[in-house]
Amino acid sequence: MFLFKKKEKTPLDIQLELVQKNLENNYKDEAKKALNASIQLLEKMSQNGELTGKKLEEKRKEIDQYRKKMEGYGHNIPVGW
C-alpha cells in the first residue's frame, strides 16, 4: 500500500523543465523557444480552466522568474562570466 501518490506532471510542468534544462546547458535559443511555448501553454490552460487560483499564480511567478533570468539573453552576452 502506497501512502503517497506520485504527482502527475502537467504539460506545463514538462515545458518548464525543458526551459530549466536548456538554461543549465547554456542552449540560449532553445531556452527562449521553450519559455515562449511555456507562456502560450499557460495562457491556453488558464483560458480552458485547467489552471486556476493558487496553481495559476505559482506558474506565473515561475515564468516571471525565468523571464527576469533571461533578460538580455543572447549569444553576444556571456552569462555568468
Side-chain angles (χ1 to χ4, degrees):
M1 184 163 139
F2 294 103
L3 297 175
F4 301 103
K5 286 186 177 180
K6 201 171 198 179
K7 183 180 172 185
E8 286 188 36
K9 292 183 181 180
T10 64
L12 183 58
D13 291 331
I14 294 168
Q15 191 65 37
L16 289 172
E17 286 178 3
L18 183 61
V19 173
Q20 182 62 35
K21 286 179 185 177
N22 286 328
L23 284 173
E24 289 172 356
N25 291 319
N26 205 21
Y27 299 145
K28 297 173 183 177
D29 291 336
E30 294 302 316
K32 284 181 179 181
K33 288 177 189 176
L35 181 63
N36 289 334
S38 298
I39 293 167
Q40 291 174 354
L41 189 56
L42 176 73
E43 293 303 318
K44 180 182 172 186
M45 290 177 79
S46 66
Q47 288 174 357
N48 292 342
E50 295 175 43
L51 278 178
T52 56
K54 199 172 191 179
K55 277 291 205 190
L56 180 61
E57 289 304 314
E58 287 175 5
K59 296 301 176 185
R60 281 191 177 147
K61 285 180 184 178
E62 190 174 350
I63 286 176
D64 286 340
Q65 288 175 350
Y66 283 123
R67 278 184 182 166
K68 288 178 186 175
K69 188 184 288 188
M70 294 173 63
E71 278 183 13
Y73 212 53
H75 291 289
N76 297 335
I77 303 170
V79 177
W81 291 20

